């Protein structure tokens, strides 16, 4: 076990190495490139025994991972932004083939205009592809989540690909200490047992993808994907608990609560903003405000019961979305409201869109948001539309 | 290839696939990007091919094959041949970037393009591989532009083996596939496969039409092995014995899709073919590129 | 007529079913029906593969968009579909409805079972097409004459409306041929008289079950994989209208037929002769054309 000061990108690369991915295919895109460069280096110097295929597009990167995963090997790719959008068709293909591919998404905004900085919109807009989406808040969590992702994806009851999301530059290019576990511990945590549900085997020839008529079983196969997502919820929790037993830390399961027990106002967010919200909570607690921070790790499967359980105990949830669906608002706020609707004793929800195009979100801004929530409650008013944080 | 599949009557593509599979044997894996091939193998839960056959998104065939080659390589499995079985739209249009990438990486697989010269699976729309003069539903007056020459484009990638063939010449196709199987690296075989509904001719003429394409010189059978261009016997025969050459008019008039071509246009086409054959005669046995 | 009149077509790809359904919709509109609908059922449509199409005809606009399950009329373009499964054709057919069948053969009539109160109309559409050379790419466009038979049976649309519809759909020469076919069919359509025991209780409407071995989602694996099997789409021998027959006297076992068969339906028997698997032979006629000894003849299929 050792601790290195690593960028978020390198933390991911180390995790992929320690997970012993055997096949990697990538196409360069800022700010993801650091991951694939580091992995190439690991392969070159013999630290990682893997086949690396430098493809000509992200669409091909995912297709190559699909091809390789069909032969039963552990695969990895990384992308973001336009690359993820370009890959979109194959993102669907991977999950509907139920292949346990792991992909790092170094969240970046989508142009035009060109902008290479952090925003969750790229992965959020892949919401309906049938991928498990785990959002990470810091370097250690990015490392640990990649390791966990293989365990979750390869579970026979799950068999769904996983996106591990970390914000561009904010995490990818900044450096922080990362504890690297012992290789033997990682090996025993994620032993590789090839999946059997679909495998290219010349002795047992099968065809995958044959046409199904509307009255056949297509609908049911999609239903099975939904059930696998339900199974993934349990698996994510169990995996996180098991991980803590071996490695001594956890980052929350589906959600992570921070001082939520008696909080009147809770700030819900994903990624780095959720880490920072803990500081905002500490500052306000000092001032006597009963506030908490709630971090959403799993955006898919969406932790409805966990969110309701927390929500029931509080009066107001402020949702900070680093993504925007023009014409509606932030995705997390929409999904939270849908989750709470119709249940008794649910808090008011205040929506905030922040940090688009990589605009920095400061501690003071998060503190301000929480205070604003108290004012809304005092006025006994209803939340009035989206708060556009720092709109000039 | 098993009978009772959902190919149209007289399908040139299934005839070609039959012979390709005979040549490659059981230890073969097929990646099939969207094309007629994703329908003619039949409906879930049955299939007409007795080797692994992985259907793939339209533009993703070569990349998925690259992944499969890589995955097998990572496990040290060396005795399996990975092939991509794609149509002309998947090859010349939407899949060309992925195909070119795999060729540039010299991925160890065989790419087969079965060329029925339009998007037949969606009901005959023009593709980059549709020849000039051909009617399609999107070129109701006949296509104005020429056919994209994918085999030469692939040869320009300097891959070790490129060949053209035709479903009407099973022996030629079988031989080239056998040969390709023994070569390492990216191999490309482009097969002309007549399509009765799309080309508008009676199903029973499926083999004859392909033969006319070759006998008229409209379609050339050749190999480019390590950069050296070599005509295959059926095409060499019409070069060496001009009396055995069939006027292209016979090929054109045998199909409904060319009904919009005037006599004048056919004469021009004949001149183009004659001039092409002269140049080809000079190239035979020589390196194709500098 | 009150309410919606629903029609279900049964045919095979390449027989013009979808086109005929469209022409019927236009004809009904010409006839003054405000609500008309033509529903082509595009599935794995291949020449020869079974397909269905539907029409709805109404005095008021139609808001239904689902397929037709309880038709007032069923048009059977290809009689072999009845021989395969009588119930597939009459399922959901309303008592008092119409069954319009293309057949030159009387024995299909004797085996027919129809819901009580239905009337059955017969027309020899195949002969009409052959006589008028109404073919596209070697297949008779059997659905066209069936429009005439439908008009005669139901009196829902007139010949005049059908003619207008056809004229607006095809260029002059082709339109005339199609109109001739429809008129001939109209004139030669006759009502069939069935034996009392041929009338059976109505077959309830149902959705087709194509994969009987799977019953419930719990039977499914995570991913739909298909396994190799002859007849991956069924017995494609039904697609044939003509059947290749090998004359062993003339055959010299060159096996060109085996080599060129696109379907892999020709095997080699113990004595080296080619042998055709008629379960799957689609009747493409490639072997007939390629046999150097002319040892293969095409025989019209009796269906």
């Amino acid at each position: 076990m050792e601790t290195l000061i690593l960028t978020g990108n390198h933390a991911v690369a180390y995790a992929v190495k320690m997970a012993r991915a055997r096949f990697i295919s990538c196409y360069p895109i800022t700010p993801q490139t650091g991951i694939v460069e580091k992995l190439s280096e690991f392969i070159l110097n013999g630290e990682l025994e893997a086949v690396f295929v430098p493809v000509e597009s992200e669409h091909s990167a995912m297709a190559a991972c699909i091809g390789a995963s069909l032969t039963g090997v552990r695969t990895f790719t990384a992308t973001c932004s336009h690359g993820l959008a370009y890959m979109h068709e194959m993102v669907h293909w991977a999950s509907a083939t139920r292949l346990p591919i792991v992909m790092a998404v170094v969240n970046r905004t989508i142009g035009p205009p060109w902008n290479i900085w952090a925003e969750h919109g790229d992965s959020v807009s892949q919401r309906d592809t049938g991928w498990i989406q785990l959002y990470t808040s810091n370097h250690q969590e990015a490392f640990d989540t990649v390791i966990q992702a293989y365990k979750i994806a390869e579970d026979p009851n799950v068999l769904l690909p996983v996106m591990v999301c970390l914000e561009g530059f904010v995490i990818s290019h900044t450096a922080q200490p990362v504890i690297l576990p012992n290789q033997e511990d990682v090996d025993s945590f994620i032993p590789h047992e090839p999946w059997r549900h679909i495998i290219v085997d010349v002795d047992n020839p099968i065809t995958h993808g044959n046409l199904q008529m509307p009255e056949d079983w297509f609908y049911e196969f999609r239903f099975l994907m939904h059930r696998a997502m339900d199974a993934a919820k349990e698996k994510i929790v169990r995996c996180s608990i098991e991980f803590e037993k071996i490695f001594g830390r956890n980052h929350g399961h589906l959600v992570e609560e921070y001082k939520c027990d008696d909080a009147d106002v809770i700030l819900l967010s994903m990624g780095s903003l959720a880490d920072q919200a803990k500081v905002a909570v500490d500052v306000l607690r000092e001032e006597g405000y009963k506030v908490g921070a709630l971090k959403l790790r799993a955006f898919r499967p969406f932790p409805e019961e966990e969110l309701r359980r927390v929500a029931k105990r509080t009066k107001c949830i402020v949702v900070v979305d680093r993504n925007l669906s023009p014409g509606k608002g932030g995705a997390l706020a929409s999904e939270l409201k849908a989750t709470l609707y119709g249940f008794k004793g649910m808090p008011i929800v205040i929506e905030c869109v922040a940090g688009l195009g990589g605009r920095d979100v400061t501690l003071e801004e998060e503190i301000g948001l929480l205070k604003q929530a108290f004012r809304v409650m005092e006025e006994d008013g209803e939340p009035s539309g989206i708060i556009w944080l720092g709109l000039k | 290839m098993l009978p009772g599949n959902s190919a149209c009557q007289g399908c040139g593509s299934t005839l070609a696939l039959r012979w390709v599979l005979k040549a490659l044997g059981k230890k073969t894996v097929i990646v099939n990007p969207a094309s007629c091939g994703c329908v003619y193998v039949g409906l879930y839960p049955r299939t007409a091919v007795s080797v692994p056959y992985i259907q793939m998104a339209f533009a993703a065939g070569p990349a998925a094959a690259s992944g499969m080659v890589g995955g097998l390589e990572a496990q040290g499995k060396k005795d399996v041949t990975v092939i991509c079985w794609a149509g002309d739209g998947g090859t010349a249009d939407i899949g060309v970037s992925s195909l070119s990438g795999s060729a540039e990486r010299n991925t160890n697989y065989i790419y087969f393009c079965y060329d029925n010269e339009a998007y037949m699976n969606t009901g005959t729309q023009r593709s980059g591989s549709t020849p000039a003069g051909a009617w399609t539903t999107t070129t109701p007056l006949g296509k104005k532009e020429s056919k994209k020459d994918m085999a030469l484009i692939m040869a320009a990638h300097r891959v070790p083996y490129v060949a053209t063939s035709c479903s009407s010449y099973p022996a030629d196709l079988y031989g080239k596939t056998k040969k390709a199987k023994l070569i390492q690296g990216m191999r490309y075989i482009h097969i002309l496969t007549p399509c009765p509904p799309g080309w508008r001719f009676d199903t029973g003429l499926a083999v004859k039409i392909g033969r006319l394409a070759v006998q008229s010189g409209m379609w050339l059978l050749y190999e480019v092995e390590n950069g050296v261009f070599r005509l295959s016997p059926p095409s060499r025969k019409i070069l060496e014995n001009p009396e055995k050459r069939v006027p292209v008019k016979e090929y054109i008039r045998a199909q409904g899709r060319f009904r919009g071509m005037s006599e004048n246009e056919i004469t021009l086409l004949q001149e183009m073919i004659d001039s092409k054959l002269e140049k080809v005669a000079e190239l035979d046995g020589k390196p194709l590129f500098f | 007529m009150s309410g919606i009149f629903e029609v279900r077509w049964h045919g095979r790809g390449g027989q013009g079913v979808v086109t005929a359904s469209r022409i019927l919709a236009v004809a009904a509109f010409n006839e003054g029906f405000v609500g008309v609908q033509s529903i082509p059922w595009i599935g794995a449509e291949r020449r020869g593969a079974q397909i269905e199409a539907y029409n709805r005809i109404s005095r008021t606009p139609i808001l239904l968009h689902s397929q037709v399950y309880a038709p007032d009329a069923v048009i059977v373009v290809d009689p072999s579909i009845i021989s395969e499964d009588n119930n597939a054709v009459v399922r959901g057919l309303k008592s008092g409805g119409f069954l319009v069948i293309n057949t030159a053969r009387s024995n299909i009539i004797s085996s027919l079972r129809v819901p009580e109160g239905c009337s059955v109309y017969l027309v020899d559409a195949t002969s009409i097409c052959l006589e008028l050379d109404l073919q596209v790419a070697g297949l008779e466009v059997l659905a066209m004459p069936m429009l005439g038979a439908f008009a005669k049976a139901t009196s829902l649309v007139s010949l005049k409306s059908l003619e207008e519809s056809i004229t607006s759909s095809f260029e002059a020469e082709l339109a005339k041929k199609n109109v001739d076919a429809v008129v001939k069919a109209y004139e030669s359509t006759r009502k069939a008289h069935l034996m009392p025991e041929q009338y059976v209780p109505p077959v309830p409407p149902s959705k087709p079950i194509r994969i009987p071995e799977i019953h419930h989602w719990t039977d499914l694996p995570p991913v739909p994989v298909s396994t190799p099997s002859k007849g991956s789409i069924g017995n494609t021998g039904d697609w044939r209208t003509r059947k290749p027959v090998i004359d062993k006297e003339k055959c010299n076992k060159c096996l060109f037929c085996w080599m060129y068969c696109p379907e892999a339906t020709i095997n080699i028997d113990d004595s080296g002769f080619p042998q055709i698997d008629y379960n799957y032979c689609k009747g493409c006629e490639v072997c007939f054309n390629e046999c150097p000894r002319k040892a293969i003849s095409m025989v019209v299929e009796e269906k």
Side-chain angles (χ1 to χ4, degrees), chain A residues 150-168:
Chain A
Y150 282 105
K151 195 173 185 71
I152 297 160
E154 293 171 10
D155 185 281
N157 293 319
V158 177
L159 293 170
L160 287 171
V162 181
M163 280 182 210
V164 178
C165 304
L166 57 152
E167 285 146 290

Side-chain angles (χ1 to χ4, degrees), chain A residues 47-84:
Chain A
E47 284 183 67
L48 173 61
E49 198 187 319
V51 171
F52 179 75
V53 177
V55 281
E56 74 300 325
S57 75
E58 288 88 354
H59 192 275
S60 285
M62 185 48 66
C65 284
I66 290 167
S69 192
L70 281 164
T71 70
V73 297
R74 202 168 262 174
T75 59
F76 175 79
T77 187
T79 190
C80 63
S81 182
H82 293 263
L84 184 55

Side-chain angles (χ1 to χ4, degrees), chain A residues 175-292:
Chain A
Q176 278 190 210
V178 176
I179 304 164
L180 300 183
N182 295 327
Q183 183 66 54
E184 308 82 71
D185 289 339
V186 176
D187 288 344
S188 65
F189 183 68
I190 42 171
H192 181 53
E193 287 153 22
W195 35 97
R196 307 304 318 175
H197 67 295
I198 178 163
I199 206 97
V200 166
D201 176 4
V202 292
D203 296 323
N204 288 297
I206 50 100
T207 294
H208 177 244
N210 275 10
L211 191 70
Q212 297 208 21
M213 304 304 283
E215 301 305 331
D216 294 348
W217 296 91
F218 185 97
Y219 181 103
E220 284 73 15
F221 279 107
R222 285 296 176 272
F223 168 72
L224 288 181
M225 280 176 74
H226 188 74
R227 283 190 42 104
M229 278 285 182
D230 285 341
K233 279 187 195 172
E234 279 174 43
K235 183 68 188 177
I236 291 166
V237 174
R238 272 191 284 124
C239 181
S240 178
I241 293 168
E242 199 179 326
F243 188 92
E244 187 176 11
K245 270 187 204 149
I246 299 173
F247 302 101
R249 58 184 173 272
N250 86 54
H251 307 277
H253 305 323
L254 294 156
V255 296
E256 185 189 36
E257 293 176 45
Y258 184 75
K259 301 187 180 173
C260 289
D261 283 348
D262 63 340
D264 292 329
V265 176
I266 288 172
L267 192 148
L268 170 66
S269 57
M270 308 192 289
S272 65
L273 297 180
D275 241 11
Q276 194 165 285
K278 292 175 187 169
V279 184
V281 164
D282 287 344
V283 170
L284 287 170
R285 286 261 170 189
E286 287 285 309
E287 296 176 23
Y289 288 97
K290 286 163 86 177
V291 290

Side-chain angles (χ1 to χ4, degrees), chain B residues 250-270:
Chain B
E250 277 189 37
Y251 175 67
I252 295 296
R253 288 299 183 225
Q255 301 168 60
R257 65 171 170 159
F258 291 117
R259 67 176 174 265
M261 276 181 86
S262 66
E263 290 297 311
N264 196 28
E265 282 169 321
I266 295 174
T267 309
L268 281 173
L269 178 62
Q270 185 64 61

Side-chain angles (χ1 to χ4, degrees), chain A residues 373-387:
Chain A
F374 281 97
R375 284 198 297 277
V376 171
M377 285 196 304
E378 276 160 26
E379 288 157 16
D380 202 22
E382 298 195 342
S384 57
I386 297 167
I387 297 172

